[in-house]
Every structure is written in structure tokens, then in C-alpha cells.
Amino acid sequence: MPELPEVETSCRGITPFLINQKIVGAVVRNRQLRWPIPSRLGKSLAGQTIHSVTRRAKYILLGTHKGTLILHLGMSGHLHIVTTDTLAEKHDHFDLLLSTGYLLRLTDPRRFGAVLWTTKDPAYHRLLQDIGPEPLSDSFDSDYLYQRSRHRQCTIRDFLLNGRMVAGIGNIYANESLYRAGIRPTLAAGRLSHRRVTALVSAIKTTLTEAINAGGTTLRDFKNVDGRPGYFQHDLLIYGRANESCRHCGNDIKAKTIHGRRLYYCPTCQT
DNA sequence: CTTTTGACCTGACAGC
DNA sequence: TGCTGTCAGGTCAAAA
């Protein structure tokens, strides 16, 4: 489900309910996510106050004075804020209980998400330490992306999906950004000119910013914390539009599967 | 080192 | 109605 804009939307949605609030415990209904939820998590969290709610790549980090709770939504996860009397349903695997009577609930049918705890600086956690720059930060610029892409033979689409190169870009926004930059997603990353990389960086920043402002993309089941969908799916120009007409030139949009993931492009507008 | 493949898991949907 | 097969927003770990 969630790429950077959806995780950012979730993060912003939960923040007002969590910031400076005290944790009174946790409920684990199904420990078996991508990695097992640590046992005794509720015990180690109880009594701590959440002093920060941040996002890094597609991870949400809840900081307390003793450590950091790391959340990942996988393919199908979403977060809700509900009151303690709200009955848990089939895929509600984890609750973080707050002293206010609200709780943060993780729902994740496919269970590719994660709930982890670290007492180290989370930037050096093994899952976070090698992640590339945030695409909306100033350190993600054309010089950076140009240098990193040199001599890479993988497709530029796959390059953008590689979290070590740039954080948080998934298949939707990789395809959308490449369309906006006029770049064929099947091109070898290392062969793009500096001028085209510049256009791509600009397209990534614009696309992600617009998607965040629209509250993310709801394809199947993404919901914001308040239960409302995102709206960016109405603005998708290329993703999921195989055999439909390009909004720019009217020609048919093509799709291919590379490395098990669909890729979409307009053969006329993307060269 | 880079690139590719397999693995994890459920639900929605198409076709028979 | 119900079965089977395919596909899906992620990404790690291991193989090539």
C-alpha cells in the first residue's frame, strides 16, 4: 500500500494524538509480522512519553526517552486512532495504548509490516542505516542522483525503487515521476544525461509533494488515520493505465513486467 | 560490487 | 456458487 506520501500522511495523522502523550501499554494479537513483534513490548513501553513522531523512508519512528518504536506498513498496513472501546477486527495485530483513552491500531492483512523496538539511535538501526537521502530534502539533488546512477545497468525504474539510492519511492511514484520527466522507465540508469537526471529529480519532488498534499493514493485499501482515503489516485497520469490513452499525446500507454513489478510508460512521451 | 530471484501473506478479481 | 490462477502500494536475504 504505502509509499512515502501515504506514510507521511499517516504520520501527520497520528502525530496530534501521540505527541507528548503517555503510553500505558500495548496489545499484540498477532506477533507474526515481517519480523516477530518483540515480546514484552507493552511492559517496556508502559510509562514512557512519546516525545517525537517522525518518518524516515517508509518507517514511522515514535521516540521516547528510552528508545524508539519503529513501525512499517508493508504492502497492506494502515494506522488508525480509535478509542479503547473499539473492537479489534481480524487483521488488527497491534495496539499502542495511551493514557488519553485513545490507542494507535495497526491493521495489516498481509502482515508484511513491522513493529520493532530499538534503544539505539534509530538512524543506525540495521533496517535504516543504509537508506538513501529523503527525496524531499536538499541533499537529494541532481548531482547526487547523477553520481549514484553512473555505471548502473539496472533500469531507472528499478534504480528509483532501490531504497539505498533514494528513500521511500515505490512503484507508483517511480512510474509517475518518470512519466513527468519524459524518461522511459526501461532505460539503464547509468546512461541518463545530467540534464535528464535534473528533470527527474524535479519530477520526483513535484510528484511526491502533490501526492502528500492530496493525502496520498488510495488504490485498494489505503486509509488515513481518520478513515478517509487519499485523493492522489485521481491524479495518477500513468500508473495502472495500461491500454488507456496518454493524457498528453493521446497514444496508448504500454505496460511491462520487470522483476515482477508492473511498469507503465507512454512510448511517445517517454524516450 | 551489482543484479536477480525467492520468500513472506492475504484479499480481490477474472475466468471457467 | 465455488474453484483456480493471477496480481497487488515492500523489501530483505541469498544466489548468481
Side-chain angles (χ1 to χ4, degrees):
Chain A
M1 151 190 108
E3 301 185 31
L4 186 152
E6 292 74 42
V7 177
E8 180 66 25
T9 297
S10 298
C11 197
R12 292 182 185 183
I14 65 176
T15 297
F17 294 91
L18 300 185
I19 198 79
N20 298 326
Q21 298 302 328
K22 191 175 180 181
I23 300 168
V24 296
V27 176
V28 178
R29 298 187 189 80
N30 188 344
R31 198 173 291 295
Q32 301 308 314
L33 303 185
R34 177 77 195 263
W35 296 279
I37 297 176
S39 53
R40 318 275 295 171
L41 185 59
K43 279 278 201 298
S44 47
L45 285 169
Q48 297 181 55
T49 298
I50 300 168
H51 62 62
S52 63
V53 180
T54 55
R55 178 191 59 73
R56 173 75 175 114
K58 294 167 190 159
Y59 294 92
I60 291 173
L61 308 174
L62 307 184
T64 78
H65 64 290
K66 282 190 181 170
T68 304
L69 192 67
I70 301 173
L71 305 175
H72 195 286
L73 303 179
M75 284 280 259
S76 60
H78 53 267
L79 294 170
H80 286 292
I81 299 283
V82 296
T83 52
T84 48
D85 57 359
T86 307
L87 292 177
E89 297 186 39
K90 186 176 179 185
H91 301 296
D92 295 340
H93 308 309
F94 176 79
D95 290 345
L96 186 68
L97 309 175
L98 304 167
S99 63
T100 53
Y102 286 108
L103 58 85
L104 174 68
R105 176 162 286 168
L106 172 68
T107 306
D108 185 6
R110 292 180 71 181
R111 290 190 277 118
F112 290 164
V115 177
L116 299 168
W117 171 253
T118 181
T119 53
K120 299 189 303 183
D121 181 342
Y124 299 105
H125 189 275
R126 67 179 187 90
L127 294 175
L128 298 172
Q129 62 183 355
D130 294 323
I131 291 177
E134 287 293 323
L136 295 177
S137 71
D138 289 341
S139 61
F140 180 70
D141 61 17
S142 54
D143 288 341
Y144 167 81
L145 201 67
Y146 183 77
Q147 293 303 332
R148 288 304 297 268
S149 61
R150 290 311 88 185
H151 310 300
R152 292 279 186 156
Q153 301 196 1
C154 67
T155 65
I156 185 63
R157 194 282 308 259
D158 286 342
F159 184 77
L160 294 179
L161 292 182
N162 184 341
R164 293 176 175 233
M165 303 303 141
V166 54
I169 297 179
N171 202 27
I172 293 176
Y173 298 106
N175 278 279
E176 290 298 311
S177 300
L178 287 162
Y179 174 76
R180 292 190 187 211
I183 297 169
R184 189 79 64 107
T186 49
L187 292 182
R191 294 207 174 280
L192 291 180
S193 67
H194 193 282
R195 172 180 287 276
R196 302 196 88 192
V197 170
T198 302
L200 179 56
V201 166
S202 173
I204 289 168
K205 289 177 187 283
T206 304
T207 304
L208 294 176
T209 301
E210 288 181 9
I212 290 169
N213 290 339
T217 298
T218 296
L219 289 188
R220 275 166 284 278
D221 55 7
F222 175 71
K223 294 287 195 302
N224 191 4
V225 172
D226 58 12
R228 290 164 51 207
Y231 296 99
F232 195 72
Q233 64 275 13
H234 305 298
D235 300 319
L236 295 178
L237 301 174
I238 197 82
Y239 183 87
R241 300 191 64 239
N243 304 317
E244 297 178 34
S245 61
C246 171
R247 298 209 198 282
H248 181 66
C249 73
N251 291 331
D252 280 2
I253 290 168
K254 302 267 186 231
K256 288 184 179 180
T257 299
I258 292 183
H259 300 146
R261 316 208 57 191
R262 290 294 266 178
L263 158 163
Y264 303 87
Y265 65 97
C266 170
T268 307
C269 298
Q270 291 171 271
T271 55

